[in-house]
């Protein structure tokens, strides 16, 4: 009998090479792909561009999508005017960088995005004290504007005195007084949109405890009144001969 020790043995390094599964990075990407799913739709609304662009890049970073996969993500995501703007570029994976540049040029220029949000805030009419839900909505719009300005690194808009004065002018009289008291107590030397946004956000949170937003189903559509038309001529009676 041959000595058992004479048979060749497999080295541990060989076993590890053959039996090793996906690396930690590959496992992480596989989990991320299942979690992230498809890219959100984008139809050309400038308000949605920052979130859409961040989501697209996050998918690349976490999931390691290839150019071909990124092209497919864009094909499924883009709708309406956004898709029309890059329709001719959706044919090859190499065009993905050009697709993003075109979309940013048309819909995602930082100053353009901010201007759209500013106009949205400007559309609000001056509010009364009892319009709780409207004030909460306005606070949300101001918060979105401030957050977007910070994210896009356009701090010059934060210290726009005419814009801030216009937004403050939409508040009820009592709120204007409270804002002035807040500036005095907080010793804020230079008014800015960030401080105003944070103050409005805190006030809106307090209001939300006593004001619940109305559900769409609670709103009863107004019934259209259709006035009865008077008969111009009375109905003819059968003539008796």
């Amino acid at each position: 009998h041959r000595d058992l020790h004479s048979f060749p043995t497999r080295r541990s390094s060989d076993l590890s090479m053959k039996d090793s599964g996906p690396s930690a990075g590959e496992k992480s990407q596989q989990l991320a792909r299942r979690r992230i799913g498809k890219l959100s739709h984008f139809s050309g609304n400038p308000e949605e561009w920052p979130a859409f662009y961040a989501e697209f890049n996050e998918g690349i970073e976490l999931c390691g999508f290839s150019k071909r996969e990124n092209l497919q993500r864009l094909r499924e995501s883009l709708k309406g005017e956004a898709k029309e703007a890059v329709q001719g570029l959706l044919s090859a994976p190499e065009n993905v960088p050009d697709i993003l540049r075109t979309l940013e040029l048309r819909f995602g220029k930082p100053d353009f995005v901010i201007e759209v949000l500013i106009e949205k805030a400007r559309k609000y009419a001056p509010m009364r004290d009892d319009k709780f839900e409207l004030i909460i909505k306005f606070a949300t719009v101001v918060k979105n504007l401030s957050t977007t300005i910070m994210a896009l690194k356009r701090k010059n808009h934060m210290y726009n005195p005419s814009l801030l004065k216009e937004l403050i002018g939409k508040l009820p009289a009592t709120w204007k007084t409270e804002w002035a008291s807040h500036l005095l107590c907080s010793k804020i030397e230079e008014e800015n949109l960030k401080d105003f946004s944070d103050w409005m956000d805190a006030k809106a949170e307090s209001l939300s405890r006593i004001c619940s937003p109305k559900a769409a189903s609670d709103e009863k559509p107004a019934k259209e009144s259709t006035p009865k038309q008077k008969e111009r001529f009375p109905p003819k009676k059968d003539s008796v001969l």
Side-chain angles (χ1 to χ4, degrees):
H1 297 284
R2 295 178 62 184
D3 189 358
L4 291 175
H5 295 286
S6 62
F7 287 97
T9 57
R10 297 172 66 186
R11 292 180 298 176
S12 59
S13 60
D14 295 336
L15 289 171
S16 61
M17 291 177 64
K18 292 182 179 180
D19 300 335
S20 61
S23 63
E26 291 172 341
K27 288 182 179 179
S28 176
Q29 289 183 354
Q30 290 173 2
L31 290 173
R33 284 173 181 246
R34 288 196 291 267
R35 178 175 61 84
I36 289 178
K38 291 185 177 181
L39 189 62
S40 299
H41 289 163
F42 180 69
S43 58
N45 185 350
E47 290 184 57
E48 299 173 356
W49 171 256
F52 170 79
Y53 187 66
E55 183 184 348
F56 179 83
N57 287 323
E58 182 185 22
I60 297 175
E61 182 180 349
L62 296 178
C63 305
F65 289 122
S66 65
K67 288 183 178 180
R68 186 171 296 279
E69 288 173 317
N70 281 325
L71 179 64
Q72 185 60 31
R73 294 170 72 206
L74 290 171
R75 283 173 176 168
E76 296 175 354
S77 169
L78 298 179
K79 304 293 180 183
E81 193 174 349
K83 188 169 186 178
E84 291 176 6
V86 295
Q87 188 70 58
L89 298 172
L90 294 172
S91 57
E94 292 75 18
N95 295 336
V96 169
D98 289 332
I99 292 172
L100 293 173
R101 277 194 294 269
T102 303
L103 290 174
E104 183 176 14
L105 179 66
R106 287 284 305 276
F107 313 106
K109 284 293 184 182
D111 290 328
F112 178 52
V113 172
I114 293 170
E115 189 60 36
V116 169
L117 293 174
I118 289 175
E119 287 302 316
K120 188 174 182 178
R122 280 175 171 159
K123 288 181 179 178
Y124 277 77
M127 294 166 280
R128 301 200 313 262
D129 285 295
D130 59 343
K131 295 296 183 180
F132 293 163
E133 188 175 355
L134 190 61
I135 294 173
I136 292 173
K137 288 180 179 179
F138 180 68
T140 303
V141 170
V142 173
K143 184 69 174 179
N144 289 340
L145 173 60
S146 173
T147 303
T148 302
I149 289 173
M150 292 293 291
L152 297 178
K153 300 178 180 179
R154 291 295 192 272
K155 292 186 178 180
N156 57 305
H157 290 282
M158 285 291 185
Y159 296 90
N160 184 337
S162 60
L163 172 61
L164 188 57
K165 183 179 180 180
E166 189 175 355
L167 296 179
I168 294 171
K170 298 182 182 299
L171 297 178
T174 54
W175 282 56
K176 294 175 186 176
T177 304
E178 290 180 18
W179 168 246
S181 300
H182 171 74
L183 290 175
L184 184 62
C185 296
S186 304
K187 297 181 179 181
I188 298 175
E189 297 180 359
E190 187 177 5
E191 294 181 73
N192 60 81
L193 186 60
K194 176 68 167 58
D195 289 329
F196 179 65
S197 170
D198 292 342
W199 178 78
M200 281 289 298
D201 191 48
K203 295 280 289 181
E205 186 175 354
S206 300
L207 279 182
S208 66
R209 297 178 182 273
I210 58 174
C211 171
S212 301
K214 295 178 182 178
S217 58
D218 294 339
E219 298 179 0
K220 296 180 180 180
K223 294 182 179 180
E224 295 183 0
S225 59
T226 54
K228 295 181 179 180
Q229 295 181 352
K230 295 182 179 180
E231 296 178 348
R232 297 176 64 182
F233 301 100
K236 294 181 179 180
K237 294 182 179 180
D238 297 331
S239 58
V240 179
L241 297 175

